[in-house]
Amino acid sequence: MEDRVRVVIAEDSVLLREGLTRLLTDRGHEVVAGVGDGDALIKTITELHDQGELPDVVVADVRMPPTHTDEGVRAAVQLRRTHPGVGVLVLSQYVEERYATELLAGSSRGVGYLLKDRVAEVREFVDAVVRVAEGGTALDPEVVAQLLGRSRKQDVLERLTPREREVLGLMAEGRTNSAIARQLVVSHGAVEKHVSNIFLKLGLSPSDGDHRRVLAVLTYLNS
């Protein structure tokens, strides 16, 4: 059982919203509210803030009423500015690079971007919700691959060896060093060495703290 977290779900499909609620509550988490559009999400978070009962994380669809374009992600970006202590995990049908970039361009703490197909992998989805709620990062492998592939700072990433790029991609998915070691079938020490080399080559100093793991992947977003 993961640590219990409090969640607000923003999804205009009632069926999916109820399904997400069931997935989370079955694992012992608390869904404190469910809404169907971006305005309702902002209003709900404001009311919970006024009551001193902010959730740990918001799970929001990128596209919501009334135009079904970017209402969800715009609400998510606004929440990250006004309530930086609340994690934000957005769900999207496809990898939408502009929205992912907008969401990830600010603080790297407590943020996630997953494709909706990932919801079917229950354990992976719930783990991502908990990780974001606790201030971590959860990026869909497809999102990582597309952002890295279209990076406007490829010259920086070209400093990395193929193995370091592989480790970097796994880091961006939110995996720990131990998980990376298991995935690549190498020692924990080997992974630590690769991670240190990545930080060094991308110019990320120890003063950047734990955020270096995400900054290593998202440095190019600041261009």
Side-chain angles (χ1 to χ4, degrees):
M1 176 67 70
E2 304 91 348
D3 292 336
R4 184 170 181 267
V5 299
R6 302 177 71 251
V7 187
V8 168
I9 297 175
E11 166 61 57
D12 63 295
S13 167
V14 175
L15 184 61
L16 180 54
R17 188 165 71 236
E18 291 300 319
L20 294 176
T21 299
R22 180 65 180 270
L23 288 180
L24 292 166
T25 55
D26 281 354
R27 299 301 290 268
H29 303 297
E30 180 185 2
V31 176
V32 297
V35 298
D37 61 70
D39 289 342
L41 174 59
I42 297 298
K43 179 180 178 181
T44 296
I45 296 299
T46 299
E47 292 174 349
L48 289 172
H49 174 265
D50 292 343
Q51 297 165 12
E53 298 181 355
L54 278 174
D56 300 301
V57 60
V58 168
V59 177
D61 191 356
V62 165
R63 298 173 180 267
M64 288 195 291
T67 67
H68 291 280
T69 54
D70 63 351
E71 282 85 355
V73 75
R74 284 196 288 107
V77 170
Q78 180 177 336
L79 287 177
R80 281 176 59 72
R81 288 197 304 264
T82 57
H83 303 287
V86 177
V88 173
L89 174 63
V90 300
L91 303 177
S92 179
Q93 193 69 40
Y94 312 101
V95 178
E96 302 184 76
E97 184 179 349
R98 178 169 65 88
Y99 298 153
T101 301
E102 185 175 6
L103 182 71
L104 300 168
S107 169
S108 59
R109 181 175 176 80
V111 63
Y113 189 115
L114 294 182
L115 297 184
K116 285 189 174 180
D117 288 347
R118 201 68 57 187
V119 175
E121 302 173 28
V122 176
R123 176 74 194 192
E124 187 171 341
F125 168 69
V126 177
D127 284 350
V129 172
V130 173
R131 189 159 64 246
V132 171
E134 294 177 345
T137 304
L139 300 182
D140 195 285
E142 291 296 323
V143 174
V144 174
Q146 185 157 322
L147 290 179
L148 287 175
R150 297 185 180 181
S151 170
R152 290 169 290 178
K153 290 188 176 180
Q154 284 295 320
D155 56 326
V156 175
L157 298 179
E158 285 171 0
R159 301 173 187 172
L160 306 181
T161 66
R163 176 61 92 180
E164 287 165 354
R165 282 172 172 261
E166 192 173 9
V167 170
L168 179 58
L170 293 171
M171 286 166 56
E173 292 174 25
R175 298 176 188 260
T176 64
N177 285 359
S178 296
I180 294 172
R182 290 193 297 270
Q183 176 77 14
L184 300 181
V185 195
V186 298
S187 70
H188 189 275
V191 174
E192 287 185 337
K193 183 176 180 181
H194 288 313
V195 172
S196 294
N197 287 339
I198 290 169
F199 291 158
L200 179 64
K201 292 179 180 181
L202 298 185
L204 298 172
S205 68
S207 63
D208 292 313
D210 294 337
H211 294 269
R212 289 190 300 174
R213 294 186 71 85
V214 177
L215 292 174
V217 180
L218 305 177
T219 297
Y220 61 91
L221 293 177
N222 293 324
S223 63

